[in-house]
């Protein structure tokens, strides 16, 4: 056991129009080094808030968030965040967008260049290295964002619904890619999603959240079956466990299974 994050009894409220709203209540969990953890729940249940606490972009009102045993007191290069809206600079090429993450890291210009090329190759975009973001598809833009994050060699990737804007084909391709890259880089990944399939496909462990106020209702460990396959009985099983948890499993889903 080597916990990288320890979240203990965290509570968080926001004040909206003079009314205080409790967004997170009594949230406790740990993340092991090298683990992929998915935080799954409906929109508005506090997933992004929780991720922002891990990344040091927000502070808890109650409880503690520890990173490698120390309280998180602000954003750091150890944890890089990837969002749904790629966050690329439109006036910079792919190469320059990846290099920008490497500024002020102590690397020389030559090292930055080589590092950027290495990670652009890893995400399969070497032939687009001098393109601008508007010349790329959404899937390619998210690959650039992934390369930019990985090039920093962070200990943790924090991902907030990173594939939510992509069509099914691109989403599946990027999910496969993420597993492949994580297998070689061994980063810890904390992923926020409202997509049940995405959580089951990617995660070693799923924290299922409910709202009002946001809290963790259930932890589901996904055994390490290989290769991860969306058509496998294991995948269908865990998907159904979660559907049932939200009372979503019904005629519609059974019909889908019967096809
Ligand atoms: N900066 C903020 N100021 C005020 N309220 C916020 C802020 N961020 C989030 N909230 C509120 O907290 C709740 C949870 O939001 P969020 O963490 O974004 O949920 P999720 O990511 O699960 O959709 C929502 O009701 C939202 O309106
Ligand atoms: Mg969110």
């Amino acid at each position: 056991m080597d916990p990288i994050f320890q979240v203990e009894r965290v509570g968080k409220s926001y004040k909206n129009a003079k009314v205080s709203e409790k967004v997170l209540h009594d949230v406790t969990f740990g993340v092991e080094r090298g683990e992929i953890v998915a935080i799954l729940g409906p929109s508005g249940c506090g997933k992004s808030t929780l991720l922002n606490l891990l990344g040091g972009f927000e502070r808890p009102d109650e409880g503690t968030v520890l990173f490698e045993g120390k309280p998180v007191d602000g954003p750091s290069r150890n944890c890089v965040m990837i969002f749904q809206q790629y966050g690329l600079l439109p006036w910079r090429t792919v190469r320059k967008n990846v290099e920008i993450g490497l500024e002020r890291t102590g690397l020389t210009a030559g090292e930055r260049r080589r590092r950027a090329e290495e990670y652009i190759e890893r995400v399969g975009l070497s032939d687009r290295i001098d393109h601008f973001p508007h010349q790329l598809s959404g899937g390619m833009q998210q690959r650039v964002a992934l390369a930019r994050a990985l090039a920093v060699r962070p200990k943790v990737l924090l991902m907030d619904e990173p594939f939510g804007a992509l069509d099914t084909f691109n989403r599946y391709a990027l999910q496969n890619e993420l597993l492949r890259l994580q297998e070689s880089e061994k980063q810890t990944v904390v992923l926020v999603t409202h997509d049940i399939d995405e959580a089951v496909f990617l995660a070693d462990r799923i924290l299922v959240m409910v709202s009002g106020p946001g809290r963790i209702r259930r932890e589901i460990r996904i055994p390490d079956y290989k290769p991860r396959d969306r058509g496998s009985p294991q995948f269908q099983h865990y998907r159904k466990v979660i559907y049932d948890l939200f009372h979503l499993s019904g005629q519609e889903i059974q019909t889908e299974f019967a096809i």
Side-chain angles (χ1 to χ4, degrees):
M1 295 279 275
D2 179 13
I4 194 159
F5 281 116
Q6 290 160 282
V7 177
E8 307 251 347
R9 312 215 65 170
V10 158
K12 176 90 187 160
S13 301
Y14 285 118
K15 239 185 173 160
N16 287 320
K18 295 196 180 146
V19 181
S20 181
E21 181 198 355
K22 186 126 198 194
V23 176
L24 294 174
H25 173 70
D26 199 16
V27 175
T28 297
F29 65 94
V31 177
E32 293 293 311
R33 198 178 295 277
E35 204 180 14
I36 303 182
V37 171
I39 297 170
L40 173 72
S43 188
C45 74
K47 303 182 297 297
S48 296
T49 304
L50 192 50
L51 204 64
N52 285 331
L53 289 167
L54 295 180
F57 300 103
E58 296 272 5
R59 301 285 170 89
D61 301 333
E62 300 156 24
T64 49
V65 180
L66 304 181
F67 174 76
E68 296 185 325
K70 294 186 206 74
V72 172
D73 62 358
S76 113
R77 276 189 197 281
N78 287 321
C79 301
V80 173
M81 182 87 93
I82 298 186
F83 299 97
Q84 185 172 323
Q85 324 73 328
Y86 328 116
L88 303 179
L89 299 175
W91 59 88
R92 282 193 169 219
T93 61
V94 168
R95 178 199 295 284
K96 293 290 178 191
N97 263 290
V98 175
E99 278 186 22
I100 200 173
L102 301 170
E103 282 168 10
R104 298 192 300 277
T105 50
L107 297 177
T108 65
E111 285 165 341
R112 287 204 296 271
R113 195 179 166 86
R114 278 190 296 280
R115 180 84 71 86
E117 283 170 359
E118 177 189 339
Y119 281 86
I120 290 164
E121 191 188 339
R122 283 204 195 176
V123 300
L125 284 179
S126 294
D127 57 340
R128 312 278 169 145
I129 197 161
D130 294 317
H131 283 52
F132 289 91
H134 76 269
Q135 298 171 304
L136 305 176
S137 69
M140 289 174 185
Q141 291 187 49
Q142 194 57 307
R143 280 198 166 83
V144 178
L146 198 54
R148 184 180 54 190
L150 292 171
V152 180
R153 298 192 179 149
K155 291 181 179 172
V156 180
L157 274 184
L158 301 175
M159 309 181 95
D160 195 347
E161 304 192 348
F163 310 131
L166 303 176
D167 63 77
T168 312
F169 298 98
N170 270 302
R171 192 160 62 242
Y172 284 2
L174 263 288
Q175 289 168 351
N176 293 345
E177 195 117 323
L178 178 67
L179 280 190
R180 186 177 61 76
L181 290 163
Q182 198 271 345
E183 179 113 2
S184 65
E185 306 264 328
K186 300 281 183 246
Q187 273 104 3
T188 307
V189 178
V190 183
L191 166 100
V192 155
T193 184
H194 58 240
D195 180 337
I196 295 174
D197 289 19
E198 179 161 278
V200 173
F201 183 69
L202 292 175
D204 300 315
R205 197 151 52 93
I206 302 175
L207 305 175
V208 180
M209 286 185 73
V210 289
S211 41
R215 58 206 185 277
I216 295 173
R217 166 139 175 234
R218 180 78 76 87
E219 178 187 302
I220 297 167
R221 198 171 284 281
I222 311 287
D224 191 18
Y225 68 95
K226 292 260 167 53
R228 294 240 160 171
D229 177 356
R230 295 177 187 83
S232 67
Q234 292 100 321
F235 180 84
Q236 302 297 347
H237 168 75
Y238 284 102
R239 189 173 182 245
K240 182 156 170 19
V241 166
I242 297 173
Y243 275 120
D244 287 344
L245 205 57
F246 285 102
H247 308 294
L248 296 172
S249 185
Q251 198 55 44
E252 246 176 280
I253 314 268
Q254 282 166 14
T255 314
E256 194 185 321
F257 282 152
I259 288 169

